[in-house]
Amino acid sequence: MTREQTAFTALLALVVANLVLQPLTEPDFGWHLRAGLDLLSQGGRLPALDPYSHTMPDWPWVEHAWLTDLLIGLLYQAGGPLAAMLFFSAVTAAAWLMAVRSSEANAPVQLSACALSLWAALPFLGARTQMVTLLGLALLMWGWHRVRAGEVRLVRWIPFLFLVWANLHGGFTAGLFYLALVIALSWLVRLMAPDLAHRTGVVDPSTLWRLLLATGTGAIVTLVNPYGWNLHKEIFDSLSDSFMIQTLREWHPVSLETLAGRLFVGYVAGLALAMMLWYRRVEPVQWGVLAVFLVLAGRHLRNIPLFLIVSVPLAADLLHEALRRFAALPFVNAVSSTRWPRAGTLALGLVLLYIGPDHIQHVWRFGVTPAAAFRQTSYPIEAVEWIREHRHQLGDRLLHDYQYGGFLLWWLPQEKIFIDGRMPAWRIGDRWIFKDYVEVRETDPPRLSILDKYGVDWALLKRDTLLAQILGALPGWRKAYEDTKVVIYMHDARRLDGAIYSRTAEEARGESRRATGASE
């Protein structure tokens, strides 16, 4: 590799690093961090019941990412928020770099494909424990690639991978699904088109049987976790909760109304166009895997990163073929071979000079001065600072917006929350916490009896929301704090006697509007 090519490759690596390095703005990071720190303080003992909410304290909580959270806690204690950010950045980079190794392209092309794929994945990057699952899936992809190349002995590592994976993150089911899909498609091609299977390098039956045995053993060893089969039950209950799937945005189908949807559609369109122009291989198993993961991504936004990981080797191969054809053009071939790397290096350098410093500075602030950094976000860090100083004036049972749950567990560790990202599928008797939250916070009119049901005596809500306006008009409630992001209401008596909510939500909203009109 020439000096120009080395410099170009190094700058591509910096582009990838720039993309994977993201601030700690993921809503669920806070509860993962709190769980990890509490595991450390309690000697690794997992709680039997939910220790963080006042709404579901009797729920038998299954901490499906306990080992990852323990690592987060250790890193946070050792190096603060910066260490946690670097951990997730490293895991994300490792996932994409491992997945792209299944391609036959050279290093610069592989890094370029990773950069394109990571750009499409931007809405999903950050301090998300799902990155661990993406790395596990990438390891399986690389292992399958090596098995197809003749290194069949690698299948013996599959059970060990799933043993670790099941304790790191509940997404190990994606890995089992991937292997089951590969095995099923390989057998299908062998049975229905044996000649095609021979021409396209589908592995022999003995290898498939060994892979099937390793996958089955891997599925069994996932039971070796602190919760046994209850871990699998928790995952199944979450994946089959229709109300959660219909309500949470990350479970919605791909839409061009969202940035994630637009980036994904653009990425898929680029792949499709490149395949029509340059792809001449016949790989039925790989096509089948890509098609299935594409359908899953189209059905639910949260599955987009899985498709991006699975498709990045194809992106690298297509990019390699495009560059090969471009280099064969007469006017390109006439230019010195060293000039193209030089031009690419210069272009990448200008891009990094334009976007790199600001992004790194932005992320750095979250690592060293997170409180100051959060002032530039929608998270209510200013309200948190006020709460710390005036905690004695407030009640015991808080209502807050869904996306604040994890954040509050991070910044107010002694506070009991109403709901967070762990809880959408939790239900005990008439306490269906996510549905109750939606009915009091998102519906019009709000179901105010939910406040009585959970004994809510203070609330931290986004400004100008319907519920915030209605609480301002309810007797017994008064505004204790307000800034440009949120408003805090508290009940003077710090208790709810049911009579407070005798009026309907429509009446309260009408009074709020009249009061607003009078003030204007």
Side-chain angles (χ1 to χ4, degrees):
M1 187 178 290
T2 65
R3 286 182 301 175
E4 290 82 3
Q5 291 171 331
T6 301
F8 183 62
T9 303
L11 283 179
L12 281 171
L14 286 177
V15 171
V16 170
N18 199 278
L19 289 168
V20 300
L21 193 61
Q22 296 294 326
L24 297 174
T25 53
E26 164 61 29
D28 287 339
F29 172 73
W31 74 255
H32 283 290
L33 173 62
R34 177 53 43 203
L37 293 174
D38 287 348
L39 276 173
L40 291 174
S41 66
Q42 296 165 12
R45 182 171 58 87
L46 290 162
L49 302 175
D50 174 38
Y52 302 127
S53 75
H54 65 81
T55 53
M56 302 289 283
D58 50 343
W59 177 263
W61 179 34
V62 175
E63 224 288 50
H64 64 81
W66 73 270
L67 189 53
T68 298
D69 292 350
L70 186 64
L71 290 172
I72 294 171
L74 284 168
L75 290 167
Y76 193 88
Q77 281 191 343
L82 183 61
M85 281 195 308
L86 292 176
F87 167 73
F88 280 104
S89 299
V91 171
T92 305
W96 260 264
L97 294 175
M98 180 60 68
V100 83
R101 289 186 65 185
S102 302
S103 165
E104 303 299 332
N106 57 31
V109 173
Q110 288 184 355
L111 287 170
S112 300
C114 284
L116 292 172
S117 180
L118 285 165
W119 184 266
L122 273 178
F124 305 94
L125 302 183
R128 298 168 60 99
T129 54
Q130 290 89 338
M131 298 299 113
V132 174
T133 278
L134 296 183
L135 177 56
L137 182 59
L139 287 169
L140 287 179
M141 291 170 56
W142 175 80
W144 172 240
H145 175 71
R146 300 313 305 163
V147 167
R148 291 178 61 197
E151 299 181 40
V152 182
R153 66 184 186 282
L154 289 176
V155 300
R156 71 182 67 169
W157 290 99
I158 289 176
F160 176 76
L161 173 62
F162 279 102
L163 175 63
V164 177
W165 194 348
N167 289 277
L168 285 170
H169 190 252
F172 68 88
T173 52
L176 291 174
F177 177 79
Y178 172 80
L179 288 179
L181 184 61
V182 164
I183 294 169
L185 290 172
S186 298
W187 276 116
L188 186 63
V189 173
R190 281 206 153 271
L191 291 174
M192 298 188 65
D195 292 339
L196 178 63
H198 178 73
R199 293 197 309 270
T200 58
V202 176
V203 297
D204 60 86
S206 64
T207 301
L208 285 175
W209 281 116
R210 292 178 65 176
L211 182 61
L212 180 61
L213 177 62
T215 302
T217 305
I220 292 171
V221 300
T222 61
L223 293 169
V224 183
N225 66 79
Y227 306 98
W229 70 274
N230 285 316
L231 172 63
H232 302 70
K233 180 178 181 298
E234 172 81 4
I235 295 170
F236 176 79
D237 289 344
S238 296
L239 295 178
S240 59
D241 190 301
S242 59
F243 181 78
M244 179 191 73
I245 292 173
Q246 293 169 7
T247 306
L248 284 180
R249 178 175 295 181
E250 66 177 2
W251 286 99
H252 288 179
V254 167
S255 169
L256 292 177
E257 296 179 0
T258 65
L259 175 62
R262 293 191 294 272
L263 289 173
F264 173 70
V265 170
Y267 177 82
V268 172
L271 283 182
L273 179 61
M275 289 184 71
M276 288 188 294
L277 291 175
W278 304 308
Y279 202 72
R280 297 297 178 264
R281 298 181 187 176
V282 179
E283 296 179 315
V285 175
Q286 182 66 6
W287 289 356
V289 170
L290 286 169
V292 170
F293 275 87
L294 177 61
V295 171
L296 293 175
R299 285 174 58 89
H300 304 299
L301 282 167
R302 66 175 288 127
N303 292 331
I304 287 178
L306 296 175
F307 174 78
L308 294 175
I309 280 288
V310 169
S311 65
V312 71
L314 173 63
D317 288 338
L318 290 171
L319 186 57
H320 175 77
E321 180 62 19
L323 292 173
R324 187 188 69 79
R325 296 195 179 204
F326 178 73
L329 295 175
F331 75 92
V332 176
N333 200 30
V335 179
S336 171
S337 61
T338 62
R339 291 186 179 181
W340 292 111
R342 288 176 184 173
T345 302
L346 178 61
L348 277 178
L350 291 174
V351 169
L352 286 173
L353 188 62
Y354 178 72
I355 66 173
D358 287 343
H359 178 70
I360 296 299
Q361 185 180 20
H362 174 64
V363 174
W364 178 261
R365 283 199 298 266
F366 278 91
V368 296
T369 55
F374 272 111
R375 292 181 182 277
Q376 307 302 315
T377 72
S378 62
Y379 286 101
I381 188 66
E382 299 88 351
V384 164
E385 293 169 349
W386 183 89
I387 291 169
R388 288 172 176 169
E389 295 179 3
H390 301 83
R391 185 62 189 86
H392 62 284
Q393 301 178 14
L394 303 171
D396 301 315
R397 293 177 173 269
L398 169 66
L399 172 68
H400 55 81
D401 290 298
Y402 176 79
Q403 62 268 37
Y404 294 161
F407 179 81
L408 294 174
L409 286 175
W410 177 7
W411 291 92
L412 296 172
Q414 304 306 317
E415 208 66 56
K416 296 290 186 179
I417 61 166
F418 189 91
I419 192 171
D420 65 16
R422 302 169 300 139
M423 304 168 64
W426 293 9
R427 184 178 185 180
I428 299 178
D430 68 335
R431 284 180 295 142
W432 189 349
I433 184 59
F434 185 55
K435 190 172 186 292
D436 287 343
Y437 167 81
V438 170
E439 289 184 351
V440 72
R441 176 59 181 83
E442 304 293 342
T443 58
D444 183 6
R447 185 182 161 200
L448 295 179
S449 61
I450 298 297
L451 303 179
D452 185 36
K453 180 177 181 178
Y454 293 102
V456 172
D457 51 15
W458 67 294
L460 169 66
L461 302 169
K462 289 182 179 179
R463 280 190 60 190
D464 301 325
T465 57
L466 176 59
L467 182 59
Q469 294 172 5
I470 289 177
L471 278 188
L474 284 175
W477 286 89
R478 65 181 176 86
K479 186 185 298 183
Y481 171 86
E482 185 176 16
D483 60 27
T484 58
K485 299 177 183 177
V486 297
V487 59
I488 295 177
Y489 287 103
M490 58 179 291
H491 189 261
D492 287 328
R494 297 193 186 178
R495 66 182 180 85
L496 302 175
D497 57 12
I500 298 298
Y501 306 107
S502 59
R503 297 180 308 161
T504 66
E506 292 89 339
E507 292 170 339
R509 182 171 54 182
E511 289 192 15
S512 174
R513 287 172 176 170
R514 288 193 292 274
T516 301
S519 65
E520 293 175 352

